[in-house]
Amino acid sequence: MKIAMIASEAAPYVKTGGLGDVLQALPNALAENPDNEIALFLPYYKKIKENAKVRADYLASFAVNLTWRQQYVGLFRCRTERKNLNVYLIDNEYYFLRDGIYGFYDDGERFAYFAKAVLACMNWLDFRPEILHCHDWQSALTPIYLDAEFRSCFPDTKTVFTIHNVEYQGKAAPEFFNDVLGLDDYWRGVCSFDGCVNFMKAAITHTNLVTTVSENYAQELRYPYFAHGLSGILAARGGNLRGITNGIDTGVYDPAKDKALAKPFTADSFADKQANKRALQRELCLDETDAPILSMVTRLASHKGIDILCFILHRLLERNLQLVIVGTGETKYEHALMAAAANYPGKFSMNLRFDSALASRVYAGSDMYLMPSKSEPCGLSQLIAMHYGAVPVVNATGGLKDTVPPFNPVTGEGRGYTFQSYNGDDFLGAIDRALGDYYHNRAAWDRLAQKDMREDFSWKLPAEKYMEMYRSILNG
Ligand code: GLC
């Protein structure tokens, strides 16, 4: 099957969050099947241009119009290790040669351009995919331009849109429709919602199938609490809104081979996790005790549950445990957490940076991983944590509910500790249950951590589910 993937980020080229991880792993997993031919399209950002490791060959240049604007498109191809996976970079220095990926005043125009340029590139390449798979708002207008202007070039192409996070929808003032999009008036209704141009809403209503990154989030999205205004639009898609739970790239995240670790280990050599714990304590100036290490690798944002963490922080740190946090984010949280860390030397290590090698050592060295997100479409770090033998404590929402069933000490079923309503006391209650088992039922605790390490979180199964779904659209 020929599949085009359109997104604004994909590791190792460019990544600001989980979207980048998924767009690295999913195309690779799909390309495992030699009968598939995958083309991934990304903007050619400054960060990629400056990366000497990326070797991109120039293929062609032409122009696309956004109403009165005639914009240059340069098409480049990167070499990958797989013959049936090509990564194409779309070059336009005016839009993409900037310091940073998102957050510019003209992001709407930048990604409307990108969404349209992709189609011109596929046409030039003579790549006529059976499935055009777009991710998040930045590529949400590709299916719209496909039907509005490129249908005759791609008569049989079906479209899929995946929501990684409904919070970011790509909204613009109503004038944007006439000034930038340059589409016939028919499309105004498709592209508008609540008095604005809304990229994501356009894709949700217009693609053959809408998916999101866990089964539970696919249900939650039908409710106003989770859908940031789009619950009605999403619920109206009925069975054409589906959830496929993400995996992790087990080639990238592998505690047996991870070079960042003091001592690589597996579930069978679980005792070696202890060496990683000691090394982490030394690295972060924590007391070298046997108290459990609780960790978080996260953006410091309210929706990640940092507000309820701050609410319980003092009570938490009065317990016999150590806390390690890695991440940056909202200033108020950075200040609050740094101040608390200064009050608990040897016990709480706050690391205001993102460093993937440190993140690996934290997953490997800690006993528990905290993820109290208010909502979480899928979440990848709880999967990485489990894969590295850190037992998760999570709010049972979104993909966290699907991937961390509660541990039952009697039957040994489940993977971690959960709480059901978003508040600090219930979060602390779940941590206390975990601490109780850690201290008083250590053998069962270790078995749980080993069992979590053995779970299959790879992309094999999710990639099969995507294939099945693509086939169902083509046959339907
Ligand atoms: C977004 C979501 C996260 C998900 C990731 C990859 O970052 O917030 O929950 O795991 O996308 O799909």
Side-chain angles (χ1 to χ4, degrees):
M1 193 183 296
K2 280 190 183 162
I3 304 159
M5 289 272 170
I6 328 292
S8 58
E9 49 183 276
Y13 304 96
V14 52
K15 168 182 149 178
T16 71
L19 175 67
D21 284 312
V22 171
L23 268 297
Q24 173 174 38
L26 175 59
N28 264 301
L30 293 171
E32 286 281 338
N33 179 343
D35 297 333
N36 286 341
E37 195 183 335
I38 318 290
L40 168 66
F41 290 86
L42 297 169
Y44 202 176
Y45 302 108
K46 184 174 182 186
K47 192 169 175 284
I48 308 181
K49 272 199 175 166
E50 285 176 347
N51 182 349
K53 285 193 208 136
V54 177
R55 293 185 48 205
D57 300 320
Y58 170 82
L59 297 182
S61 66
F62 30 84
V64 298
N65 296 330
L66 292 170
T67 59
W68 52 270
R69 301 165 191 78
Q70 195 176 53
Q71 299 294 18
Y72 167 86
V73 180
L75 175 60
F76 287 73
R77 178 170 44 212
C78 290
R79 311 224 180 114
T80 77
E81 278 156 21
R82 294 177 187 275
K83 259 197 13 235
N84 60 342
L85 168 62
N86 280 301
V87 178
Y88 295 101
L89 300 171
I90 293 188
D91 184 37
N92 178 301
E93 299 204 336
Y94 168 65
Y95 288 130
F96 300 127
L97 200 73
R98 303 184 189 185
D99 295 320
I101 309 297
Y102 314 122
F104 300 99
Y105 74 96
D106 58 348
D107 278 359
E109 182 180 323
R110 295 168 72 222
F111 290 105
Y113 157 83
F114 171 64
K116 190 168 181 181
V118 162
L119 293 161
C121 291
M122 290 195 327
N123 198 28
W124 185 89
L125 289 163
D126 201 19
F127 184 75
R128 307 200 186 274
E130 283 139 290
I131 298 287
L132 176 78
H133 190 162
C134 299
H135 299 262
D136 272 355
W137 75 267
Q138 295 90 347
S139 58
L141 292 184
T142 304
I144 308 301
Y145 279 116
L146 170 67
D147 272 334
E149 298 186 12
F150 285 85
R151 204 23 121 175
S152 58
C153 308
F154 306 100
D156 301 319
T157 299
K158 303 284 189 201
T159 53
V160 178
F161 180 64
T162 295
I163 300 171
H164 294 262
N165 195 338
V166 80
E167 206 172 330
Y168 308 106
Q169 297 173 6
K171 293 183 187 171
E175 298 76 53
F176 186 89
F177 185 82
N178 284 341
D179 181 35
V180 178
L181 297 186
L183 293 163
D184 287 351
D185 219 42
Y186 164 80
W187 295 99
R188 190 187 298 276
V190 176
C191 297
S192 301
F193 182 68
D194 211 9
C196 301
V197 169
N198 185 318
F199 288 31
M200 192 178 259
K201 179 262 175 179
I204 291 169
T205 50
H206 196 69
T207 44
N208 293 102
L209 207 67
V210 180
T211 78
T212 186
V213 289
S214 68
E215 284 164 39
N216 187 41
Y217 193 61
Q219 296 310 318
E220 289 175 347
L221 279 177
R222 295 162 208 265
Y223 297 92
Y225 180 82
F226 293 100
H228 292 265
L230 294 181
S231 54
I233 301 283
L234 284 157
R237 296 274 352 221
N240 286 330
L241 165 61
R242 300 194 198 158
I244 296 180
T245 304
N246 287 332
I248 51 172
D249 194 325
T250 43
V252 175
Y253 299 107
D254 182 357
K257 298 209 182 97
D258 194 329
K259 292 202 175 62
L261 305 191
K263 188 155 191 191
F265 66 109
T266 64
D268 294 330
S269 59
F270 186 71
D272 289 344
K273 188 174 165 70
Q274 188 63 19
N276 290 291
K277 179 168 177 175
R278 283 281 174 267
L280 184 68
Q281 287 171 324
R282 244 168 271 142
E283 177 179 356
L284 300 180
C285 301
L286 294 168
D287 300 335
E288 289 182 40
T289 70
D290 288 326
I293 300 185
L294 283 58
S295 68
M296 299 176 82
V297 177
T298 180
R299 251 174 304 131
L300 302 176
S302 303
H303 68 264
K304 290 289 180 190
I306 310 301
D307 50 357
I308 61 172
L309 174 76
C310 288
F311 179 71
I312 62 163
L313 195 56
H314 184 67
R315 279 184 284 162
L316 182 67
L317 288 166
E318 291 304 310
R319 284 155 167 75
N320 186 18
L321 51 78
Q322 296 179 344
L323 180 63
V324 174
I325 301 182
V326 179
T328 59
E330 292 172 30
T331 318
K332 63 178 178 186
Y333 294 132
E334 292 190 350
H335 287 168
L337 293 169
M338 286 306 280
N343 282 331
Y344 292 90
K347 198 164 183 191
F348 175 18
S349 164
M350 181 63 222
N351 305 276
L352 276 188
R353 60 200 156 104
F354 188 75
D355 169 345
S356 56
L358 174 61
S360 281
R361 291 194 290 276
V362 169
Y363 290 122
S366 52
D367 301 286
M368 259 174 239
Y369 188 78
L370 309 181
M371 201 146 166
S373 308
K374 189 167 185 193
S375 71
E376 193 62 72
C378 178
L380 301 175
S381 54
Q382 82 280 14
L383 302 179
I384 305 171
M386 286 191 272
H387 203 54
Y388 281 66
V391 175
V393 179
V394 306
N395 180 20
T397 187
L400 295 172
K401 187 170 177 180
D402 288 337
T403 58
V404 188
F407 174 56
N408 179 336
V410 177
T411 62
E413 284 166 333
R415 294 178 183 161
Y417 297 80
T418 64
F419 59 102
Q420 310 289 330
S421 79
Y422 187 71
N423 69 78
D425 295 297
D426 285 1
F427 178 30
L428 191 57
I431 295 174
D432 280 336
R433 276 185 280 119
L435 290 172
D437 285 344
Y438 179 88
Y439 277 118
H440 307 301
N441 202 353
R442 194 54 189 275
W445 176 274
D446 285 352
R447 273 199 302 278
L448 169 61
Q450 283 167 282
K451 184 165 89 74
D452 285 353
M453 287 188 79
R454 291 198 177 99
E455 298 282 353
D456 180 5
F457 295 125
S458 77
W459 269 93
K460 195 169 175 302
L461 193 64
E464 277 165 21
K465 288 188 179 167
Y466 275 106
M467 285 306 296
E468 243 166 66
M469 188 191 67
Y470 296 152
R471 274 186 225 110
S472 78
I473 307 174
L474 296 176
N475 299 332

